[in-house]
Amino acid sequence: MRVIIIIGICLVMATQVNSFVGITWGRQQTQQLVPSMVVDLLLQNKISQLRLMTSGYDIIEIFSGTNISVSVLMGNSFMYQANRKDLAYNWVNDRIKDPINKGANIVELTVGSEPFSNTFLKQVTNYNVVPVLKLMRESLDEMGLGHVRTTTAHGMDVLNHTKVPSESDFRDDIKPQMIESLAEFNRTGAPFVLVMFPIHFVKDVMNYPIEFAFFDNNSGFKIKDGNITYTNAVELMIDSVAWAIKKAGYENMKIMIAQIGWPTDGYPHANVKNAERFHKGLLKFITSKKGTPMKPGPIDIYLHSLCDENQFNKIFGLFQRHWGIYQADGNPKYKIDLSLQGRDVLPTQAKGIVKMPNRWCKFNGDTTNMDLVNKNYDLACQVSDCSQLEKGASCDGLSYASKVSYAMNAFFQKNKQEVKDCDFDGLGQIVATNPSEPNCEFPIEILSFQDQRVQNGMVLRV
Ligand SMILES: *[C@@H]1O[C@H](CO)[C@@H](O)[C@H](O)[C@H]1NC(C)=O
Ligand SMILES: *[C@@H]1O[C@H](CO)[C@@H](O)[C@H](O)[C@H]1NC(C)=O
Ligand SMILES: *[C@@H]1O[C@H](CO)[C@@H](O)[C@H](O)[C@H]1NC(C)=O
Ligand SMILES: *[C@@H]1O[C@H](CO)[C@@H](O)[C@H](O)[C@H]1NC(C)=O
Ligand SMILES: *[C@@H]1O[C@H](CO)[C@@H](O)[C@H](O)[C@H]1NC(C)=O
């Protein structure tokens, strides 16, 4: 009896110690935060788990000696770099072993980001992920890095969506790959890694009221599944996946949330107010450690994401540029208590940010040659981030002339405020008064990471 109690206590303690709230960090910005600032931001906010959406070793090494657990991603499009044993071995040696030798605490390698996607990431679908995953595992084991887990990230689109979780199953077209992956995860003790975008699931997949995406279930909307009632989408999403995994024979496999968040622009209902409300409910749910009906107990999550990525490829969805809890310049967008005490506080601001001067570029209003105006508008948006101007986005309500100004400014800032980059065939003018309008900020960027590193005499690869 006593033995059972002690084992019970140990299990509870082990699971609680293992549960965490981490954050993701991607680097597809025109002007990137200095990595040491990011380390500082994480430490200030007491975030000890980072999911790095890149595998640049110079970036990974920044976390040496910080105690921050780092999960490294090998994106779908890089799979060819490790699809043979020798290549896989070299990749692991350069990107995992070497940084570990230099003191980085790498705990996980994610091979493939939603490689079976048939929605937002379908352009980079890669069914060869399982062989690569196995090669990476082999290489890690041979190098004595058995403690670095190997996983793959999956979106909700691996499921054939059904009304209730208990009817869920994996899509027919990927079932063989899913079964093979699950066997590999189970063999190596890796969790099933899930990427979640609740707005999309609720509105566009299930066509439910958006209220169902929030934890405070104000609307009273519910989904009944047998004797279980779901009052929010997140629990329903997790349990849908849990059912599919259970049907494949791995009832006890852990589910880890590798990305969950609420973008603030570029998608219906994506705004700061909703993002704040969603996270408040989410963190309360996570810290309660109660879990879901199918997966009771603590859940590991990574909030997505630390800061906006204004260079994220538009074909994957404009909202992908607006996942940040922070703007690209390190200013927090909304209140979120990353220390998990449920307080209404802004997260710590990034220290030591050096911003460009208060100068903007705007359209001088000369509409005598509209072809020329349109040409310059298109040119500016081809190179810089105009996602805020798209239909339904925060700056969609601007007049046409203001939209042209927005685009010109984005281009000018991206090019570090070079005077020639506000020329636009004579249609641009540099101004010192902020042309921002309500709900639509004309940003000034920060001095870039690369510049500062080059000044220090180092050349970095990202
Ligand atoms: C690093 O993590 C270990 C284990 O979690 C902990 O014991 C130690 O105090 C941490 N060190 C610092 C400097 O935070
Ligand atoms: C989804 O499930 C239905 C019913 O089992 C099946 O007919 C259909 O082919 C499935 N679709 C996919 C994409 O797996
Ligand atoms: C999963 O792994 C566990 C532990 O190694 C093992 O006991 C179990 O049989 C595996 N499940 C399947 C379906 O292979
Ligand atoms: C919200 O969910 C809780 C727990 O399921 C339930 O007790 C409560 O009645 C729900 N509130 C509303 C307004 O539906
Ligand atoms: C809920 O339903 C399941 C399956 O039908 C059953 O095994 C379980 O005992 C039920 N739980 C409760 C609390 O009624």
Side-chain angles (χ1 to χ4, degrees):
M1 187 61 194
R2 186 185 287 164
V3 171
I4 292 172
I5 290 171
I6 290 172
I7 291 173
I9 289 172
C10 289
L11 284 177
V12 168
M13 283 172 58
T15 42
Q16 293 200 342
V17 168
N18 285 336
S19 121
F20 60 78
V21 175
I23 200 161
T24 66
W25 179 40
R27 305 209 0 106
Q28 301 191 44
Q29 295 98 3
T30 41
Q31 322 254 297
Q32 300 163 326
L33 287 179
V34 179
S36 59
M37 278 179 193
V38 172
V39 172
D40 187 55
L41 267 187
L42 298 175
L43 295 177
Q44 292 289 331
N45 287 301
K46 300 191 169 48
I47 294 171
S48 59
Q49 310 276 337
L50 178 72
R51 191 164 125 84
L52 196 54
M53 308 298 278
T54 165
S55 54
Y57 25 82
D58 27 31
I59 303 301
I60 303 170
E61 283 169 13
I62 307 286
F63 297 92
S64 295
T66 60
N67 235 12
I68 293 169
S69 300
V70 182
S71 170
V72 174
L73 171 71
M74 177 191 221
N76 297 353
S77 42
F78 296 99
M79 225 73 86
Y80 69 92
Q81 290 182 358
N83 58 7
R84 269 192 347 237
K85 188 58 197 286
D86 57 325
L87 294 176
Y89 196 92
N90 284 341
W91 201 95
V92 169
N93 190 58
D94 290 353
R95 314 242 170 189
I96 306 288
K97 188 173 181 201
D98 203 43
I100 286 179
N101 286 346
K102 292 182 174 148
N105 182 20
I106 301 178
V107 295
E108 185 175 77
L109 168 61
T110 306
V111 181
S113 181
E114 304 181 56
F116 303 116
S117 175
N118 68 358
T119 55
F120 298 113
L121 295 177
K122 62 173 179 276
Q123 292 86 347
V124 286
T125 295
N126 194 324
Y127 285 21
N128 289 327
V129 63
V130 188
V132 176
L133 180 75
K134 290 180 175 172
L135 285 175
M136 297 306 240
R137 181 71 267 153
E138 253 175 65
S139 304
L140 285 163
D141 289 341
E142 281 170 23
M143 288 184 214
L145 299 173
H147 65 281
V148 179
R149 296 188 304 193
T150 40
T151 66
T152 302
H154 310 88
M156 288 300 289
D157 56 5
V158 295
L159 300 183
N160 186 353
H161 295 293
T162 53
K163 194 107 187 109
V164 293
S166 60
E167 283 169 14
S168 278
D169 207 342
F170 295 113
R171 270 166 30 215
D172 292 342
D173 60 311
I174 54 167
K175 212 173 252 174
Q177 287 90 346
M178 292 310 299
I179 300 286
E180 197 186 352
S181 313
L182 290 171
E184 175 70 1
F185 301 148
N186 189 58
R187 185 183 73 77
T188 61
F192 185 88
V193 171
L194 182 61
V195 169
M196 300 171 82
F197 178 17
I199 307 180
H200 170 70
F201 183 79
V202 168
K203 284 306 293 171
D204 297 322
V205 179
M206 304 309 284
N207 200 19
Y208 292 156
I210 192 66
E211 277 297 319
F212 189 56
F214 298 97
F215 284 83
D216 43 12
N217 63 328
N218 277 343
S219 71
F221 182 85
K222 308 175 171 53
I223 297 290
K224 271 184 86 75
D225 187 4
N227 53 19
I228 297 171
T229 302
Y230 291 94
T231 59
N232 72 80
V234 172
E235 287 188 69
L236 179 124
M237 291 163 87
I238 294 171
D239 280 4
S240 299
V241 172
W243 271 105
I245 296 173
K246 180 179 173 174
K247 286 174 190 171
Y250 300 96
E251 183 168 10
N252 296 322
M253 185 171 287
K254 195 170 161 178
I255 297 176
M256 183 180 93
I257 316 293
Q259 282 176 229
I260 183 168
W262 196 286
T264 55
D265 212 337
Y267 207 81
H269 308 286
N271 58 51
V272 164
K273 195 165 144 265
N274 284 343
E276 180 171 310
R277 179 177 166 208
F278 173 76
H279 282 102
K280 193 165 181 169
L282 173 69
L283 291 182
K284 198 168 150 200
F285 167 69
I286 293 297
T287 46
S288 80
K289 295 187 160 65
K290 76 178 173 51
T292 70
M294 285 292 285
K295 290 281 167 196
I299 304 173
D300 293 340
I301 67 166
Y302 288 95
L303 300 175
H304 187 59
S305 179
L306 187 71
C307 54
D308 280 348
E309 294 184 273
N310 61 3
Q311 292 294 90
F312 207 95
N313 196 328
K314 272 162 74 167
I315 58 168
F316 302 135
L318 286 169
F319 63 93
Q320 309 272 21
R321 294 182 168 186
H322 303 283
W323 282 109
I325 291 170
Y326 290 86
Q327 292 167 10
D329 67 4
N331 276 314
K333 292 186 200 164
Y334 49 84
K335 290 179 186 150
I336 175 170
D337 187 358
L338 296 170
S339 73
L340 309 181
Q341 298 167 63
R343 299 166 305 167
D344 271 325
V345 290
L346 286 169
T348 317
Q349 199 159 355
K351 294 196 183 68
I353 298 281
V354 184
K355 278 211 157 198
M356 305 287 287
N358 275 338
R359 298 203 305 174
W360 293 263
C361 176
K362 65 184 275 197
F363 174 40
N364 66 10
D366 180 355
T367 53
T368 44
N369 183 348
M370 275 314 282
D371 285 346
L372 199 62
V373 175
N374 292 335
K375 187 199 93 179
N376 280 289
Y377 183 14
D378 289 346
L379 174 109
C381 283
Q382 267 161 32
V383 183
S384 44
D385 179 30
C386 292
S387 58
Q388 289 88 340
L389 300 176
E390 303 279 336
K391 204 162 171 48
S394 56
C395 303
D396 182 24
L398 297 186
S399 67
Y400 188 77
S402 294
K403 284 186 170 179
V404 176
S405 285
Y406 186 96
M408 287 179 170
N409 182 58
F411 184 88
F412 174 64
Q413 302 295 343
K414 179 179 192 292
N415 291 308
K416 305 190 179 66
Q417 303 191 350
E418 289 280 347
V419 173
K420 69 174 169 48
D421 291 311
C422 184
D423 182 52
F424 296 106
D425 296 320
L427 295 171
Q429 66 184 121
I430 295 173
V431 296
T433 41
N434 189 342
S436 298
E437 299 197 16
N439 300 322
C440 175
E441 197 195 332
F442 285 49
I444 289 182
E445 297 217 40
I446 55 176
L447 290 171
S448 78
F449 148 60
Q450 249 120 358
D451 286 348
Q452 302 194 9
R453 301 302 286 197
V454 170
Q455 278 166 14
N456 291 342
M458 282 169 72
V459 179
L460 292 168
R461 281 158 294 180
V462 179

